[in-house]
Amino acid sequence: RMTSHNMTWISYPSKNLAFISPEEIEAFIASQNIISRFMHCYIAFFVPTGLITGTCILIVFIKNYLQYKTIENLDLFLLHFTISNIIMIFLSFTVISRPDYLQATQLTCNVLSFFFNFSYFNAQYVLILTLLILLLKRFPPRTALSKATQRPMLCVGFVLTYSFCLSLTEAVLVGTDNYHLETDCQLDPLFARPEYEIIKFTFGFGIPSFLQILCIAVLFAKEVPAEAPALKLHIRTYPAAYIISITIFICHLFYNIMILFRTTFKSQKSAGTPKNELVMNIAEIVLFCESCASLLFILCFHKPCK
């Protein structure tokens, strides 16, 4: 049974310690060191790479638009994806204080969480649109779906609206009861109701992953017309989206498994152990590393950016 809406009882295991042996103290110090090293590695290598790469992609797309006065559907979706990931990288600066947490009011933490979720959902669903566009490049467009994707601004508008509604739902589930109180802030707040993690998993991983797998399965399984290029040639022509899709699935799987573990602990009126907290922190940094890596893949493998 889910816990009540009052989540004031919860706190991070590292903030509520009752050590009974020197071994536990050593294990706790070791886990804090690991989190700190992960954070320093991410800030030193991934953040500059992600921000420089993202800026380069924006410059390329803007220059191409100014030169040709038009932007391809695929480029528009990848531009949307790039902007979402740049916002994610800026929000990831909240990990700088690790192994400690950012100190903020619950209201400020909820606002940060809203923008984080908005970027997270945006990136997920615009990638599905990108895969759909590539699918329609390989198969002759006959359906109403193909007509819809020929209106890219409408598709982008739909993704923005859908992501906004999901993020707003998540913000409500974080709660507003103690908005003025100082708290340890994570972009997926620990003090959110258990339903927060369930919706995040369902709409931020379950449904998008199913749709991504479906697109790739159709690409491999569906019989192509005689005039269509070979599958290997198609993948070599548009490698960025497929590489990103695999990377996102692997990194988000790890992150979302940890999100579900957190829900399980909450339902048992527990915050888990310092080891659980360590793995959750690593999963969060891996998620941010994926945003940086995805931008690098666009720059290296998307033809207009090469």
Side-chain angles (χ1 to χ4, degrees):
R1 192 176 67 82
M2 288 297 175
T3 56
S4 70
H5 289 170
N6 180 12
M7 297 297 294
T8 51
W9 58 270
I10 202 163
S11 65
Y12 287 99
S14 61
K15 301 281 185 179
N16 190 24
L17 292 167
F19 294 125
I20 54 170
S21 69
E23 288 79 13
E24 283 185 321
I25 296 170
E26 285 173 18
F28 170 71
I29 292 167
S31 72
Q32 296 280 287
N33 285 336
I34 292 166
I35 295 168
S36 183
R37 283 173 188 168
F38 263 87
M39 182 275 291
H40 282 113
C41 180
Y42 169 70
I43 295 294
F45 299 108
F46 283 88
V47 169
T49 304
L51 291 177
I52 292 165
T53 305
T55 305
C56 291
I57 295 165
L58 292 180
I59 290 167
V60 168
F61 284 143
I62 290 166
K63 278 182 74 176
N64 285 353
Y65 177 75
L66 293 174
Q67 188 174 349
Y68 302 110
K69 301 299 177 192
T70 185
I71 186 165
E72 273 193 38
N73 294 6
L74 181 61
D75 288 354
L76 179 66
F77 294 153
L78 287 177
L79 176 63
H80 185 156
F81 181 81
T82 299
I83 292 167
S84 295
N85 278 290
I86 289 171
I87 294 167
M88 286 267 282
I89 293 167
F90 278 118
L91 288 167
S92 75
F93 281 110
T94 55
V95 304
I96 285 176
S97 54
R98 300 295 156 83
D100 205 351
Y101 294 91
L102 177 73
Q103 291 297 306
T105 63
Q106 290 198 12
L107 179 63
T108 304
C109 196
N110 201 347
V111 170
L112 288 171
S113 177
F114 171 83
F115 285 109
F116 167 63
N117 283 321
F118 187 54
S119 302
Y120 178 86
F121 291 129
N122 257 314
Q124 285 282 67
Y125 286 98
V126 85
L127 177 64
I128 292 160
L129 281 179
T130 305
L131 292 173
L132 192 59
I133 282 286
L134 295 181
L135 204 60
L136 294 170
K137 280 181 182 287
R138 185 156 167 76
F139 300 103
R142 297 192 193 103
T143 61
L145 190 63
S146 68
K147 289 176 185 174
T149 54
Q150 284 161 16
R151 300 177 68 184
M153 292 306 291
L154 189 69
C155 295
V156 167
F158 173 76
V159 168
L160 285 167
T161 306
Y162 183 61
S163 300
F164 178 82
C165 292
L166 285 174
S167 305
L168 202 59
T169 305
E170 291 287 67
V172 169
L173 291 172
V174 171
T176 55
D177 295 344
N178 303 295
Y179 66 89
H180 58 285
L181 296 179
E182 284 273 321
T183 187
D184 295 310
C185 181
Q186 208 170 1
L187 290 175
D188 281 314
L190 182 70
F191 55 85
R193 298 173 196 171
E195 295 90 341
Y196 173 96
E197 282 96 358
I198 292 167
I199 287 181
K200 181 111 179 190
F201 177 84
T202 305
F203 292 95
F205 180 74
I207 293 171
S209 296
F210 170 75
L211 294 173
Q212 284 173 42
I213 291 165
L214 186 64
C215 283
I216 291 169
V218 170
L219 181 75
F220 279 89
K222 189 173 165 66
E223 192 176 338
V224 293
E227 68 274 12
L231 182 60
K232 280 185 181 177
L233 180 62
H234 171 80
I235 292 171
R236 276 206 300 266
T237 310
Y238 308 105
Y242 297 113
I243 294 169
I244 289 167
S245 190
I246 293 164
T247 309
I248 280 183
F249 179 79
I250 293 166
C251 295
H252 285 212
L253 177 65
F254 175 37
Y255 180 71
N256 279 274
I257 285 171
M258 295 316 300
I259 283 280
L260 283 186
F261 271 124
R262 183 190 270 189
T263 315
T264 307
F265 292 133
K266 284 181 184 179
S267 67
Q268 296 166 354
K269 279 276 185 180
S270 165
T273 64
K275 189 177 179 182
N276 300 135
E277 186 182 352
L278 162 68
V279 181
M280 184 70 221
N281 273 279
I282 291 170
E284 187 181 31
I285 293 170
V286 166
L287 182 79
F288 294 134
C289 289
E290 175 273 311
S291 290
C292 302
S294 292
L295 295 179
L296 193 61
F297 293 144
I298 293 173
L299 190 68
C300 294
F301 296 110
H302 185 52
K303 199 173 180 180
C305 298
K306 276 185 181 179

